[in-house]
Amino acid sequence: MPYRSLARLRKWSTGKKTFVVLLAGFAISIVVLILTATTLVYTSTEAFCSSSCHEMNNNAMEYKGTVHDKNRTGVRATCPDCHIPHSPVPLYIRKMGAVHDLWGHFVSHSIDTREKFLDKRQELAERVWIYMKENDSRECRHCHTAAKMDPERQSEKAQLRHARGRKEKLTCIDCHFAIAHDEPAGPGPQELEVDKSLISKGAIF
Ligand code: HEC
Ligand code: HEC
Ligand code: HEC
C-alpha cells in the first residue's frame, strides 16, 4: 500500500503539469505574502491610526501637542508606538485582536458618536491599562530603557517616585497614565480591580 502511493507520487511529480502547479502555487504565495506585509505595515502607521476611522478622532485630537507628539527635539511616539507591539508574535496576536475593533466600527457601532465614546471611555482605558500592566509597559520600554534613565538628570520628585515604584513593583503605566489622552473619570490603573473579561490582547474597542 505505501509502495503504491509512493509510485503514484513519483509518477505525478515527474509530470509537466506538476511543474506548472508548483510554479503557480509559488507565485500565489509571493503575492499573498506581499499583501499581508503591506497591510501590516500600512495599518501600523500614525496616518492609518488617526484618520482611517472617525472613532479615533477623539483620541487623535487629545494626543496633539502632548509631549509625545511635539517637543524640543522632535523625537516622537505616535499611536502605533504605544499601541502596537514591536516584536513579531505579540504583533500578530495584537493584529488578530483588531478584528474586535473592525466589528465595533462596521457592525456594532459601539463608539460612533462622541457621547457613546465618553460613556465607554473608562472601559476602553481599562483595557489598555490592563494590557500594559500585564506586559510590564512593554511598549513604553521599547523607547524608555529603565536601566538607562539617569536619576541624576531627573527631577527630585521623579527620582523619589521611581525608587518607590521599583520597591513597590509598580510599572510605568501605574503612574504615567493619561499622558497622551484625557483622563477618564473612573479609577486609575493603581486602584483597578483587574476585570479579566476586559483582557483583549491589545484590542481597544
Ligand atoms: C517611540 C518612543 C516612545 C514610546 C513608545 C514612549 N515614549 Fe515616553 N517619551 C519619548 C520621548 C522621545 C520623550 C521625550 C520628549 C522630550 O521631552 O523631548 C518621552 C517623554 C516621556 C515622559 C516625560 C514627560 C515630560 O513631561 O517630560 C514620560 C513620563 C513618558 N515619556 C512616559 C511614557 C510612557 C508611560 C509610555 C508608554 C505608555 C511611553 N512614554 C512611550 C519616547 C517614547
Ligand atoms: C511610582 C510611580 C512611578 C512609576 C512606577 C514610574 N514613574 Fe516615571 N515619574 C513619576 C513621577 C512622579 C515623575 C515626576 C513627574 C513630575 O515631575 O511632574 C516621573 C517622571 C518621569 C520622567 C521624566 C523625568 C524628568 O525628570 O523629567 C520620565 C521620562 C519617566 N518618569 C518615565 C518612566 C518610565 C519609563 C517608567 C517605567 C519604567 C516610569 N517612569 C515609572 C512616577 C513614576
Ligand atoms: C505615549 C503613548 C501613547 C500614544 C502616543 C498614544 N496612545 Fe492611545 N493610549 C495610551 C494609554 C496609556 C491609554 C490608556 C488611557 C490613558 O491612560 O490615557 C490609551 C488609550 C487609548 C484609547 C482608548 C480610549 C481612551 O482614551 O482611553 C484609544 C482609542 C487610543 N488610545 C487611541 C490612540 C490613537 C488613535 C493615538 C494616535 C493619535 C494614540 N492612542 C496615541 C497611550 C498612548
Side-chain angles (χ1 to χ4, degrees):
M1 187 49 188
Y3 177 75
R4 273 248 287 311
S5 351
L6 215 67
R8 214 180 293 148
L9 184 69
R10 212 158 136 198
K11 199 164 149 215
W12 187 81
S13 67
T14 46
K16 212 193 219 160
K17 238 195 255 160
T18 317
F19 181 68
V20 177
V21 169
L22 287 179
L23 203 67
F26 183 66
I28 292 170
S29 318
I30 298 271
V31 171
V32 169
L33 203 68
I34 292 173
L35 287 177
T36 311
T38 310
T39 309
L40 277 181
V41 171
Y42 175 64
T43 57
S44 303
T45 58
E46 181 187 9
F48 174 81
C49 296
S50 48
S51 63
S52 61
C53 65
H54 62 275
E55 278 93 339
M56 290 296 172
N57 286 349
N58 295 297
N59 284 90
M61 291 310 292
E62 293 166 1
Y63 157 79
K64 280 231 153 54
T66 64
V67 68
H68 287 103
D69 172 46
K70 192 171 178 189
N71 54 56
R72 186 176 60 87
T73 58
V75 181
R76 310 170 68 219
T78 63
C79 331
D81 290 318
C82 288
H83 288 292
I84 298 180
H86 301 271
S87 51
V89 175
L91 170 72
Y92 303 148
I93 296 173
R94 167 71 179 88
K95 290 287 177 178
M96 301 300 269
V99 172
H100 261 275
D101 301 348
L102 288 177
W103 180 268
H105 177 67
F106 288 111
V107 186
S108 66
H109 305 288
S110 55
I111 52 165
D112 62 352
T113 65
R114 171 100 184 136
E115 288 68 40
K116 284 195 208 170
F117 170 73
L118 291 178
D119 277 351
K120 224 172 167 214
R121 169 160 231 169
Q122 176 71 22
E123 183 187 324
L124 302 179
E126 285 186 13
R127 279 217 168 100
V128 178
W129 291 334
I130 292 170
Y131 179 69
M132 291 185 175
K133 279 161 84 89
E134 293 235 316
N135 66 25
D136 195 14
S137 313
R138 181 187 56 206
E139 272 69 83
C140 314
R141 290 176 193 274
H142 184 69
C143 297
H144 295 278
T145 307
K148 293 286 178 187
M149 295 203 301
D150 183 356
E152 299 288 302
R153 295 193 191 182
Q154 291 187 345
S155 67
E156 204 175 320
K157 184 172 166 194
Q159 290 181 33
L160 284 170
R161 297 292 177 80
H162 286 160
R164 195 193 109 202
R166 271 192 300 277
K167 221 168 62 208
E168 295 178 5
K169 299 216 170 354
L170 294 170
T171 186
C172 320
I173 195 65
D174 280 318
C175 300
H176 296 288
F177 57 99
I179 50 170
H181 317 292
D182 292 356
E183 189 178 337
Q190 279 191 56
E191 300 104 78
L192 207 62
E193 289 274 351
V194 173
D195 174 352
K196 295 276 179 200
S197 74
L198 290 180
I199 294 179
S200 60
K201 306 282 180 252
I204 300 177
F205 285 19

